[in-house]
Amino acid sequence: ELIELYARRQLTAGHPFPRDTAWQQEMEASFPYVETPDQMEAIEAVKHDMESSRPMDRLICGDVGYGKTEIALRAAFKAVMDSRQVAVLAPTTVLAQQHYATFTERLAPFPVRTEVLSRFSTPQQEAETLAGLESGAVDICIGTHRLLQKDVRFKELGLLIVDEEQSFGVLQKEALRSLKTDLDTLTLSATPIPRTLHMSLAGIRDMCTMETPPEERLAVRTHVGPYDGTLIRQAILRELERNGQTFFIHNRVATIHAVLQVLQAMVPEARFAVAHGQMHENELEHTMHAFAAREVDVLLATTIVQLGLDMPNANTLIVNQAERLGLTQLYQLRGRVGRGKNQAYAYFFFERNRELTSQANRRLRTIFEANELGAGLDIALRDLEIRGTGSLLGTRQSGHIAAVGFELYCQILAEEVQRLKGEAPEGLAPLQDSAVPVLDLPVSAYIPQDYVEPQGTRIGLYKRLAEASTVRHVDALLEEMKDRFGPPPDSVRELLYVARIRILAASARVKSITRACT
């Protein structure tokens, strides 16, 4: 079998990835859960991209715990079967170690060598891994920012997987992609940065959304309020009574041990441990293993635990000084609990007698309101609205969208893509020869959630409406919405009326239309 495998890998090297082999099917059958429909669609889309001659550049946008890692694992195995190497980029050492354990366990029955590069690696292990990457002996390398250093050389890198991409800068993500022009790239995120999300919505990158929750998954019950020691004690004791574990987040290393003393006096019944990024590698690794082995009841940690950790027995999260954290951080932290069948609870406390800034107030209100399953895309879209889209060709990952306007930008982008393809823009004259109307109308025009519930579907409808270039396109979209969702409410009809006015005004070279409220 080994001879046949390596012979097949040598014959297919340098060609598009082959169809699934018997070993690929065997590996996929070892997945201990039932795939959701969204997960299967994403898996098929990734396979189709890898089997085509065009390099893959796909974003997998799915909520925490929705199975993005399984998609990455299957893509990595498919690449290895074609004699390509795989680089998996993770933002933290803890997450890299967890991925290494997952990949090693699932791929143990197959002749695949998986290694990890992080600060947990000894100098000897690191030297052996680097030599294996350069010679081709290492098939899959999972690492942190260490993968981006110049001494890391791959013999035949075919697939780059970026997990939790919102934690990396543009230059960091492009460093590995620059190693090879035809490199397949798979990006995973529950809350993509505005720049990445906008590129996917605009069609520059392919995107799959995973909105179907796993079986028996329950939404995390969320509490936001001022610091309350009594409530903290009750939350920890309740978790202890059902033999569960608790995350307590305090993102200040200088004062984390003082908080530990307060918690030990508050809940003497619990066993505590501390974890943060400035600890020695061996001590941090030992602490995380102890928590995973349920030898610790409460893990007092910084935001080092916010990304990707899978601890199904931890179902209570307490965040201290939540007003100091960003919206994505808050959401990622909440994703550390509720990954099993038990009801999970998240408490976000802010300092008493302290006036919150307007931005902190908006973040906390958003995390409280977005408490349903699959809210990650909602969070990312809210972040896109607040921070803007960023620069497609530069390094800035966010910026003021109002400077250009999303609708105008989509039109500019669509026309430029058509020009490069040699296709004339349909309907309207090219943008530089046509007027761009400014509409200021006192109407309530939007697609309500109770009319079109799936967030991804609403985004697609908005995108199609923004790209519509003729009234006929708008009318066709109206008929489609009637057929799929029933008679549209007034807010949707107003939205379509505004779209028709915009198109007609642009054709007549009208610069602006304003109607004062009476």
Side-chain angles (χ1 to χ4, degrees), residues 127-167:
E128 292 176 354
T129 300
L130 292 176
L133 289 174
E134 192 166 3
S135 66
V138 174
D139 299 303
I140 301 174
C141 185
I142 303 168
T144 56
H145 297 73
R146 179 69 179 86
L147 278 178
L148 305 177
Q149 297 183 7
K150 295 181 178 179
D151 61 338
V152 180
R153 302 181 184 89
F154 293 85
K155 180 181 180 181
E156 187 63 34
L157 181 61
L159 175 64
L160 168 64
I161 300 173
V162 182
D163 193 15
E164 305 294 352
E165 66 88 29
Q166 71 277 2
S167 300

Side-chain angles (χ1 to χ4, degrees), residues 17 50 79 84-87 156-160 180 182-185:
F17 293 91
M50 296 179 70
R84 312 289 177 85
Q85 292 174 297
V86 180
E156 187 63 34
L157 181 61
L159 175 64
L160 168 64
K180 196 174 181 182
D182 59 345
L183 181 65
D184 284 334
T185 305

Side-chain angles (χ1 to χ4, degrees), residues 444-452 461-462 465 474 477-478 481-482 485-500:
S444 179
Y446 65 99
I447 303 175
Q449 185 174 356
D450 55 2
Y451 180 61
V452 180
L461 292 173
Y462 279 125
L465 195 60
V474 178
L477 185 58
L478 173 60
M481 294 174 71
K482 287 180 180 179
F485 311 108
D490 292 340
S491 61
V492 175
R493 292 188 177 276
E494 295 281 7
L495 181 65
L496 297 175
Y497 289 149
V498 170
R500 293 187 184 96

Side-chain angles (χ1 to χ4, degrees), residues 217-286:
R217 178 65 58 86
L218 300 174
V220 180
R221 295 184 181 177
T222 303
H223 169 84
V224 177
Y227 184 88
D228 187 340
T230 302
L231 185 56
I232 291 175
R233 173 175 167 79
Q234 292 175 352
I236 295 176
L237 289 178
R238 181 182 59 210
E239 195 61 52
L240 287 175
E241 290 174 357
R242 58 178 183 174
N243 296 319
Q245 296 169 284
T246 300
F247 285 112
F248 191 102
I249 306 301
H250 179 78
N251 201 35
R252 290 291 182 273
V253 176
T255 56
I256 196 168
H257 288 282
V259 174
L260 175 62
Q261 295 177 0
V262 173
L263 291 177
Q264 288 175 330
M266 185 185 301
V267 193
E269 300 90 340
R271 298 169 296 177
F272 291 85
V274 176
H276 57 79
Q278 297 182 17
M279 295 171 60
H280 189 274
E281 293 87 346
N282 295 335
E283 184 182 2
L284 179 59
E285 186 176 13
H286 174 75

Side-chain angles (χ1 to χ4, degrees), residues 52-233:
S52 69
S53 57
R54 181 174 63 90
M56 175 176 67
D57 189 6
R58 182 170 291 275
L59 167 68
I60 305 295
C61 184
D63 214 354
V64 289
Y66 274 40
K68 298 187 296 295
T69 302
E70 178 64 19
I71 299 173
L73 194 149
R74 296 187 184 189
F77 190 76
K78 188 176 182 67
V80 172
M81 291 298 99
D82 193 41
S83 296
R84 312 289 177 85
Q85 292 174 297
V86 180
V88 182
L89 188 60
T92 64
T93 303
V94 176
L95 180 56
Q97 288 296 133
Q98 180 169 293
H99 280 330
Y100 174 67
T102 301
F103 276 63
T104 302
E105 179 183 358
R106 290 288 303 282
L107 302 181
F110 308 100
V112 178
R113 181 180 172 185
T114 303
E115 298 292 347
V116 63
L117 273 180
S118 69
R119 65 189 184 99
F120 283 174
S121 306
T122 64
Q124 181 180 355
Q125 292 172 335
E126 186 174 294
E128 292 176 354
T129 300
L130 292 176
L133 289 174
E134 192 166 3
S135 66
V138 174
D139 299 303
I140 301 174
C141 185
I142 303 168
T144 56
H145 297 73
R146 179 69 179 86
L147 278 178
L148 305 177
Q149 297 183 7
K150 295 181 178 179
D151 61 338
V152 180
R153 302 181 184 89
F154 293 85
K155 180 181 180 181
E156 187 63 34
L157 181 61
L159 175 64
L160 168 64
I161 300 173
V162 182
D163 193 15
E164 305 294 352
E165 66 88 29
Q166 71 277 2
S167 300
F168 297 97
V170 179
L171 292 178
Q172 293 170 328
K173 285 178 284 191
E174 294 299 325
L176 276 176
R177 294 186 62 176
S178 63
L179 298 178
K180 196 174 181 182
T181 56
D182 59 345
L183 181 65
D184 284 334
T185 305
L186 184 63
T187 304
L188 313 176
S189 180
T191 52
I193 58 174
R195 179 181 185 269
T196 299
L197 181 60
H198 172 244
M199 291 174 68
S200 299
L201 294 176
I204 299 175
R205 303 179 68 176
D206 296 318
M207 176 180 178
C208 288
T209 58
M210 299 170 59
E211 299 178 344
T212 306
E215 260 185 74
E216 301 182 356
R217 178 65 58 86
L218 300 174
V220 180
R221 295 184 181 177
T222 303
H223 169 84
V224 177
Y227 184 88
D228 187 340
T230 302
L231 185 56
I232 291 175
R233 173 175 167 79

Side-chain angles (χ1 to χ4, degrees), residues 450-469:
D450 55 2
Y451 180 61
V452 180
E453 184 173 354
Q455 178 73 34
T457 305
R458 290 204 306 276
I459 295 171
L461 292 173
Y462 279 125
K463 180 175 180 288
R464 290 172 59 187
L465 195 60
E467 294 175 345
S469 58

